[in-house]
Amino acid sequence: MNDPRLQSPAAARNRQPILEVLRQVLPERARVLELASGSGEHAMHLAGAVPGWTWQPSDPNPRALASIAAWREAAGLANLREPRQLDVTDDWPAERFEAVVAINLLHISPWAVTEALMAGAGGSLVPGGVLYLYGPFRREGRPTAPSNAAFDADLRARDPRWGIRDLDDVTVEAERHGLMLDKVVEMPANNLSLVFRRS
């Protein structure tokens, strides 16, 4: 029988550094909406590490949803919810959350997804809630490393609407929806963690 669980080498590498940042910025009890959960490995690891986080994984892709569900079943975590099909540009859940998490999403999607993400997070987060973004970003219009410049060129060759976003542009879009940049954390492999808070 085929195992529907997908595996991401990047998720295996970055899940612990991501957890360490989230532990610093989230309360011990929090409802978390994860966007574009992909394989589901982040959801399983993060929910498993902090039982007080009620983790809602989501993804628009049926194959990803099957993988998330399979990881969830294998883990048997009471605080890891069934995955829900969610496209960032469509209707968001009516529920409010203490945190919205998006890992490696902005650079592999059109800018309209960033706009929709900020609008959705602004409407879904409780006051003081956290929007956490992880991935590669430009700073002051420049890539943070030569490898990121090459990665950006590769992304744009695959889809001209994709590409590594500039931190300033992302921050301005967030502020339009009441989300203020609270913290920037340098991460392994020339990535950043961005922590925004709902005003």
Side-chain angles (χ1 to χ4, degrees):
M1 192 172 90
N2 288 337
D3 186 344
R5 289 179 294 179
L6 303 173
Q7 292 187 298
S8 164
R13 288 193 302 270
N14 63 33
R15 62 189 184 183
Q16 191 61 30
I18 288 172
L19 171 62
E20 289 166 12
V21 176
L22 289 176
R23 280 189 188 276
Q24 293 173 27
V25 300
L26 295 188
E28 287 186 11
R29 304 195 68 80
R31 294 160 295 176
V32 182
L33 172 64
E34 183 187 8
L35 305 169
S37 300
S39 67
E41 293 168 281
H42 284 120
M44 182 184 67
H45 182 75
L46 299 168
V50 185
W53 293 346
T54 301
W55 203 273
Q56 175 63 70
S58 70
D59 204 281
N61 186 303
R63 188 167 178 229
L65 294 170
S67 177
I68 299 163
W71 280 115
R72 176 178 179 267
E73 185 177 355
L77 297 170
N79 62 323
L80 181 55
R81 292 183 178 177
E82 288 185 22
R84 64 177 295 156
Q85 190 157 22
L86 175 64
D87 184 319
V88 174
T89 61
D90 288 343
D91 290 337
W92 284 46
E95 184 180 354
R96 294 294 208 118
F97 297 90
E98 278 73 40
V100 172
V101 170
I103 298 167
N104 284 328
L105 171 61
L106 300 194
H107 58 284
I108 53 169
S109 60
W111 178 250
V113 168
T114 299
E115 294 173 327
L117 187 154
M118 297 307 180
S124 295
L125 286 169
V126 300
V130 165
L131 169 62
Y132 172 84
L133 305 177
Y134 171 91
F137 292 90
R138 292 172 175 266
R139 300 189 88 163
E140 298 175 347
R142 295 187 296 274
T144 57
S147 60
N148 276 4
F151 182 40
D152 183 57
D154 177 64
L155 289 169
R156 293 177 190 277
R158 287 156 59 188
D159 188 326
R161 301 173 303 164
W162 293 7
I164 296 179
R165 307 302 175 194
D166 191 87
L167 176 58
D168 291 341
D169 294 340
V170 173
T171 300
V172 168
E173 188 61 34
E175 288 174 352
R176 292 183 57 222
H177 300 281
L179 301 163
M180 304 299 144
L181 184 62
D182 181 54
K183 185 178 291 195
V184 177
V185 183
E186 303 273 351
M187 302 293 279
N190 301 308
N191 290 302
L192 298 176
S193 284
L194 308 184
V195 178
F196 297 88
R197 287 198 182 271
R198 180 79 172 87
S199 57

